[in-house]
Amino acid sequence: MRIRLIIIFMFYFSSLYAQNKWELTYRDIGLPKVIQVLDSTKIYLMSSPSSLYKSTDQGKSWEIIYNNFSGVENCTDMSIPDSLTIFISFAKGNLYRSIDGGKTFEHIILPDVAYVKSISMINQDVGIIAGGYIITKDAWNSYTRFNLETDSISLR
């Protein structure tokens, strides 16, 4: 009985020390909507209202790198497959793509897409958006709807 009590006590207290600890490092960035961590120092954050921030020092300081997302609202997700390519999804089939690390963005409208729930890019060309499972192989210049039950696709 005593051994069981000691083991239970050890499991209980070991889980208390295994939790991640968060530290507030910066306050003036608005309401965070999406966070993307590239490596141990680079972090991108999309805030509300729609501004894209970048930190290169683990979140201790932030700089606005873009805040001219016109005609869109409700950022839903962000995908950064490499240090130069950034995709940001918004409601009603709107995407923004940057190929220069966020200095400029191209507005891409997917006219027959009602809602983009999330975006995941494998590289600068190949990716998928949830909200109907739509796949691209050419950075959203064209795309195909994918049915999980009946379709198969080659990413080559």
Side-chain angles (χ1 to χ4, degrees):
M1 177 69 180
R2 187 175 185 187
I3 293 176
R4 284 185 188 167
L5 186 59
I6 291 172
I7 291 173
I8 292 171
F9 186 75
M10 286 175 26
F11 278 119
Y12 176 76
F13 282 104
S14 69
S15 67
L16 291 177
Y17 292 104
Q19 305 298 320
N20 288 331
K21 295 189 187 221
W22 289 86
E23 175 185 352
L24 180 61
T25 59
Y26 197 75
R27 295 176 189 262
D28 298 329
I29 57 175
L31 178 65
K33 300 287 278 181
V34 181
I35 297 173
Q36 185 87 43
V37 179
L38 251 76
D39 57 36
S40 63
T41 59
K42 290 183 193 146
I43 306 168
Y44 288 83
L45 182 140
M46 193 67 187
S47 74
S48 179
S50 299
S51 296
L52 180 62
Y53 291 84
K54 179 181 179 182
S55 174
T56 55
D57 58 6
Q58 299 178 333
K60 292 179 178 82
S61 64
W62 295 87
E63 67 172 308
I64 294 178
I65 59 172
Y66 198 81
N67 64 354
N68 194 21
F69 298 102
S70 58
V72 294
E73 55 187 46
N74 299 330
C75 172
T76 58
D77 202 8
M78 175 171 42
S79 183
I80 305 174
D82 59 59
S83 61
L84 292 176
T85 311
I86 302 169
F87 289 88
I88 302 174
S89 62
F90 293 86
K92 299 180 183 175
N94 288 286
L95 300 176
Y96 273 83
R97 172 181 59 203
S98 175
I99 56 172
D100 58 10
K103 294 176 186 164
T104 61
F105 278 85
E106 173 189 5
H107 186 187
I108 302 169
I109 300 171
L110 308 176
D112 58 341
V113 177
Y115 184 72
V116 178
K117 182 177 181 179
S118 65
I119 183 169
S120 180
M121 298 298 294
I122 295 169
N123 58 39
Q124 64 184 13
D125 294 322
V126 178
I128 185 168
I129 56 176
Y133 299 111
I134 302 166
I135 295 173
T136 187
K137 296 181 191 179
D138 60 4
W140 302 107
N141 293 314
S142 66
Y143 52 92
T144 305
R145 290 192 181 276
F146 184 75
N147 184 326
L148 293 172
E149 295 176 4
T150 61
D151 295 342
S152 64
I153 192 165
S154 171
L155 296 177
R156 297 177 190 195

